[in-house]
């Protein structure tokens, strides 16, 4: 199956505003992946907005991306990515990363015996640890453990590759753990990665249960709650919408780890979670992304 990419080059504020506009669109096709990044490390204000498709995008789809920009949209280029070349490229240039006590690498690298190591194939773009939000969540989980957090029931909403659920179970190996994602494809991905990392799958304590769910809309996910640690590395819009549900799903005094939001979106997200009964325990900023550790108020 061929892949296609749209690219629009603009300044950092313009691309970030376009990402914010995308975040407000409730009926966006979730199969169309959209992201923004700087063009090069030595050009921090020059960014590109990219959108990936499994087919050649139509004029209407190009116009939908252009409409994300206020005023006149930058020039949008369309390119076909040869499948074989894309797969090869996806495995190149992905260096291992360290976040707290964790070391995340592709299978081509050896694990670090002095760290908690996870092997995640580079072709699984989101959730490999390379993205600032995933690495920030790993660092925050490490900070929770070091500060004395004890958890017995974990949920990872929007798990992707399963990496954050694996990391949480490595820190609290006797906990019940449930991972979910809206995309059914993730079930096989998580199972494969669990096998690759000797992470047990199952319903018992110390094992990971995987479900397909939209937010908290799953009977098993609801039955296994409430949770004293809930992780959600998704997007700002869904995080705001899910705040009441997460408020019900987290125990009083429990912990909530949120990511996937730009620093410019943080105030909106924190307002929603204050209303849902949470207070800020700690935050960190990794690149342009905020990672929030919140605690559920008691009483």
């Amino acid at each position: 199956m061929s892949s296609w990419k749209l690219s629009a080059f603009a300044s950092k504020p313009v691309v970030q505003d376009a990402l914010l506009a995308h975040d407000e669109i409730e009926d966006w096709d979730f199969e169309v992946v959209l992201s923004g990044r700087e063009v090069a490390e030595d050009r921090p204000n020059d960014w590109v907005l990219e959108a990936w498709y499994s087919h050649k995008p139509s004029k209407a789809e190009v116009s939908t991306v252009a409409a994300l920009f206020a005023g006149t949209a930058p020039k949008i280029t369309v390119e076909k990515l040869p499948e074989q070349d894309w797969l090869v490229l996806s495995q190149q240039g992905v260096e291992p990363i360290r976040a707290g006590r964790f070391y995340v690498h592709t299978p081509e690298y050896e694990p670090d015996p002095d760290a908690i190591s996870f092997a995640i194939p580079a072709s699984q773009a989101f959730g490999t640890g390379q993205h600032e939000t995933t690495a920030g969540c790993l660092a925050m989980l490490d900070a929770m453990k070091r500060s004395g957090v004890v958890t017995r029931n974990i949920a990872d909403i929007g798990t992707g590759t399963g990496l954050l659920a694996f990391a949480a179970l490595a820190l609290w190996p006797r906990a019940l753990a449930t991972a979910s994602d809206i995309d059914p494809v993730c079930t096989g991905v998580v199972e494969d990665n669990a096998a690759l990392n000797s992470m047990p799958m199952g319903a018992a304590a110390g094992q990971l249960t995987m479900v397909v769910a939209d937010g908290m809309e799953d009977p098993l996910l609801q039955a296994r709650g409430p949770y004293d640690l809930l992780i959600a590395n998704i997007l700002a819009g869904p995080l705001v919408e899910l705040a009441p549900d997460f408020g019900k799903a987290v125990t009083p005094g429990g912990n909530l780890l949120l990511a996937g939001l730009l620093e410019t979106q943080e105030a909106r997200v924190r307002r929603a979670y204050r209303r849902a009964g949470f207070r800020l325990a700690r935050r960190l900023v990794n690149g342009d992304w905020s990672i929030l550790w919140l605690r559920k108020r008691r009483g």
Side-chain angles (χ1 to χ4, degrees), residues 267-288:
R268 176 185 170 212
V269 172
R270 286 173 62 176
R271 281 196 300 271
Y273 282 86
R274 279 197 299 272
R275 291 194 292 268
F278 292 89
R279 62 176 177 81
L280 182 68
R282 187 177 301 183
R283 67 184 286 271
L284 66 84
V285 176
N286 196 7
D288 294 293

Side-chain angles (χ1 to χ4, degrees), residues 101 140-154 168 171-173 228-230 253-256 281-282 293-295:
R101 69 188 73 191
M140 193 67 91
L141 286 171
D142 181 66
M144 288 182 179
K145 180 69 174 182
R146 293 182 189 279
S147 68
V149 167
V150 176
T151 180
R152 297 177 178 85
N153 197 4
I154 301 165
L171 294 176
W172 296 280
D228 50 19
L229 172 58
L230 192 149
N255 302 278
L256 179 63
R282 187 177 301 183
W293 170 13
L294 307 175
R295 301 196 86 154

Side-chain angles (χ1 to χ4, degrees), residues 38-90:
E38 60 186 30
V39 174
E41 290 186 3
D42 59 347
R43 296 162 56 193
N45 196 50
D46 294 334
W47 275 43
V48 58
L49 182 80
E50 295 172 319
W52 285 268
Y53 298 80
S54 60
H55 57 273
K56 184 177 181 180
S58 65
K59 289 183 178 179
E61 289 172 318
V62 175
S63 297
T64 298
V65 173
L68 297 175
F69 295 92
T72 303
K75 179 181 178 181
I76 296 177
T77 60
V78 181
E79 62 178 312
K80 184 178 181 181
L81 306 171
E83 183 181 5
Q84 185 175 8
D85 290 347
W86 176 245
L87 182 60
V88 171
L89 287 172
S90 72

Side-chain angles (χ1 to χ4, degrees), residues 20 23 234-241 259-262 265 268-269:
L20 289 171
D23 192 43
I234 45 179
L235 294 170
L239 285 178
V240 170
E241 293 175 7
L261 57 142
L262 292 164
Q265 300 168 316
R268 176 185 170 212
V269 172

